[in-house]
Amino acid sequence: MSDERSDDRPADTRPATDVPVLSVENVTAGYGETTVLRDISLSMDEGEVVSLVGRNGAGKTTTLRTINGILHPTSGSVVYRGEDVSTLGPAETAQRGISLVPEERQIFPELTVMENLRLADHGGADDVESMAIGEALEMFENLKDRTGNPGSSLSGGEQQMLAIARALVAGADLMLLDEPTEGLAPYIVQDVMDIVAELDERGITVLLVEQNVHVALELADRNYVIDRGEIVWEGSSADLEDNEAILDRYLGVSV
Ligand code: ATP
């Protein structure tokens, strides 16, 4: 085995690719007096799709909120591309390229698709389709045809697409997707999965929170299982698929 990645090499001589995109280090966090996450650690390399799966209330959304700065760790740290971002708020983490697409999708229903995209496009003028918007629309055929329609006229799946498109236009480098397939019809689930696969192809690093373990297994390179605020298992999709005990105990599914 090569010793090139030896841990005792000084950090400043490592090639840039050795620095994880995201490193959550021994984070404890919660809401006021309520501790939800207990000493969790996870790490993501450039271009990886990693899933975070677990039952309702396990702490998945809380993990995403702690990464993007809506919540702050009470101990431990969140490190993004080598910078400790634990004390930054969501606007500051967004500037750095961390983009949370929340479960509620958070589009502006009264604005058109194009207006929704323009609001996310900090570098673009108000009245033109910028390159970022043009590129994003190439990925979303169904939005391309409906740029003048109000957000409220979109289906649940299309709203999910628009929320992801907004994150792309805003320059997401690390995308945090909170249950993107939640509540969608099975054929739309496949469309959303195709989009996540395309994000992967474009080299965007994706942390995917999913209730649907089948979706996570198909899309993710690696998976973390969270239970009651603790990471209880980590491994490849092939290993998770074979691990009936973990699937049954923490995810309540058989694959
Ligand atoms: P789900 O799939 O149901 O969204 P989850 O794994 O994303 O589950 P979280 O939303 O992170 O779970 O919730 C973890 C715990 O934190 C739960 O016990 C929940 O009740 C609690 N919690 C969530 N939001 C708040 C809040 N704003 N204030 C206090 N407790 C909260």
Side-chain angles (χ1 to χ4, degrees):
M1 202 162 119
S2 156
D3 64 358
E4 273 181 20
R5 293 170 67 103
S6 158
D7 279 346
D8 54 20
R9 179 196 292 199
D12 59 355
T13 64
R14 289 183 189 188
T17 49
D18 270 6
V19 177
V21 171
L22 177 72
S23 183
V24 172
E25 298 168 0
N26 304 106
V27 161
T28 294
Y31 303 89
E33 298 290 294
T34 311
T35 296
V36 174
L37 304 179
R38 299 168 197 281
D39 196 26
I40 70 160
S41 295
L42 59 88
S43 171
M44 298 179 64
D45 288 329
E46 189 81 54
E48 272 195 309
V49 176
V50 170
S51 91
L52 179 64
V53 288
R55 292 180 193 270
N56 277 332
K60 303 179 297 293
T61 298
T62 304
T63 303
L64 298 189
R65 288 180 179 157
T66 307
I67 294 168
N68 97 319
I70 294 173
L71 298 171
H72 301 294
T74 51
S75 65
S77 49
V78 178
V79 180
Y80 173 69
R81 295 192 179 278
E83 180 190 6
D84 189 332
V85 295
S86 311
T87 59
L88 302 185
E92 292 161 304
T93 60
Q95 275 172 355
R96 282 158 176 76
I98 301 177
S99 201
L100 171 64
V101 180
E103 207 175 338
E104 317 79 57
R105 289 159 198 162
Q106 282 186 3
I107 62 152
F108 296 99
E110 70 284 7
L111 300 184
T112 66
V113 167
M114 183 57 81
E115 286 165 343
N116 266 280
L117 294 174
R118 279 196 198 117
L119 277 180
D121 186 14
H122 307 300
D126 285 346
D127 55 351
V128 293
E129 182 184 310
S130 71
M131 202 157 87
I133 292 177
E135 278 177 17
L137 284 175
E138 284 308 311
M139 257 176 84
F140 301 92
E141 282 298 322
N142 48 352
L143 294 182
K144 210 172 161 184
D145 299 336
R146 309 181 62 185
T147 51
N149 294 21
S152 57
S153 71
L154 303 180
S155 69
E158 288 164 344
Q159 290 189 16
Q160 182 63 61
M161 304 287 187
L162 179 55
I164 295 174
R166 280 172 49 83
L168 268 182
V169 168
D173 164 65
L174 168 62
M175 215 180 274
L176 312 173
L177 297 181
D178 197 352
E179 302 202 21
T181 66
E182 166 81 15
L184 302 182
Y187 71 98
I188 314 276
V189 168
Q190 189 56 54
D191 287 350
V192 172
M193 288 173 73
D194 291 345
I195 290 294
V196 176
E198 194 162 340
L199 295 174
D200 186 23
E201 277 171 29
R202 290 183 173 215
I204 293 170
T205 308
V206 178
L207 182 55
L208 174 68
V209 157
E210 259 302 334
Q211 281 281 346
N212 186 334
V213 179
H214 300 274
V215 170
L217 285 174
E218 190 165 329
L219 290 173
D221 304 305
R222 288 188 303 116
N223 309 270
Y224 288 92
V225 178
I226 186 169
D227 184 58
R228 288 179 241 182
E230 292 179 32
I231 301 288
V232 292
W233 189 89
E234 175 200 346
S236 70
S237 293
D239 286 347
L240 182 53
E241 206 162 352
D242 285 346
N243 198 326
E244 281 177 30
I246 294 288
L247 288 170
D248 181 51
R249 180 164 174 198
Y250 297 117
L251 304 170
V253 288
S254 49
V255 175

